[in-house]
Amino acid sequence: MDTSSPWLDDDQQELWQALLTVVIALPAALDRQLQRDAGISNFEYGVLARLSMSDEATMRLSDLARDCDSTQPRLSKVMDRFESRDWVVRRPDPTDGRYTLATLTHIGRQKVVASAPEHVAQVKRLVFDPLSAAQRRHLSAALTRIAATVRQEVEGG
């Protein structure tokens, strides 16, 4: 790779602009669909989905925040809304009282199940349908490498 130029070459610039479009516009498109069809944001859906996929639909809030790329205060506000709708309950972690657990309720699980079909259809339409199987494999390999590098940077290292 040529590191002498401070600028991106044409191919890099094209890739970078396409990636920016995906990073910025895809969440907005998913947000619009979820707001319209389910009355929740893409972030809120992600929180509910992560809880639904965890053991006993329960996670420490600190782990949930990390897994959802959220700050604790942002997640706390979402948890307040979810509790007011009876979608989650919070309680101290019995194994370590310094932590709080969030558990998805039956009503919360119903919300995820009701929201998922249109959301999954939108994800398939926007992300998977435009690609061949080979393109999906290549994209997965490339994004996995980029994600690992980004995670390492974010985690300080």
Side-chain angles (χ1 to χ4, degrees):
M1 175 189 255
D2 178 19
T3 58
S4 62
S5 172
W7 308 108
L8 300 177
D9 65 32
D10 290 343
D11 289 340
Q12 291 170 330
Q13 188 63 246
E14 184 178 339
L15 173 60
W16 177 240
Q17 292 305 314
L19 181 59
L20 282 177
T21 297
V22 170
V23 168
I24 294 166
L26 179 61
L30 296 174
D31 230 19
R32 278 192 305 277
Q33 176 273 313
L34 282 162
Q35 287 288 351
R36 180 188 67 235
D37 297 337
I40 58 175
S41 69
N42 186 43
F43 177 73
E44 290 170 326
Y45 178 85
V47 171
L48 291 171
R50 288 208 190 264
L51 276 173
S52 75
M53 293 183 284
S54 64
D55 290 339
E56 299 179 28
T58 299
M59 290 183 73
R60 284 182 173 171
L61 289 180
S62 55
D63 294 338
L64 185 58
R66 183 196 65 235
D67 289 357
C68 293
D69 294 319
S70 176
T71 63
Q72 290 276 8
R74 180 182 187 198
L75 184 62
S76 182
K77 289 177 184 176
V78 167
M79 287 292 115
D80 289 344
R81 286 194 304 277
F82 286 1
E83 275 189 316
S84 72
R85 296 172 183 165
D86 294 323
W87 294 350
V88 298
V89 292
R90 287 183 280 190
R91 67 182 190 286
D93 185 337
T95 63
D96 188 338
R98 296 174 296 171
Y99 296 98
T100 300
L101 298 176
T103 301
L104 192 65
T105 66
H106 178 70
I107 296 169
R109 186 172 300 280
Q110 287 177 320
K111 183 64 176 176
V112 174
V113 169
S115 304
E118 290 299 322
H119 177 64
V120 170
Q122 179 78 331
V123 169
K124 285 181 178 182
R125 188 177 71 75
L126 295 174
V127 178
F128 296 101
D129 291 351
L131 303 175
S132 68
Q135 288 172 320
R136 289 191 298 270
R137 285 191 303 276
H138 291 295
L139 181 61
S140 177
L143 290 178
T144 298
R145 291 189 70 168
I146 293 170
T149 303
V150 170
R151 277 190 203 101
Q152 186 177 18
E153 178 75 18
V154 167
E155 293 168 1

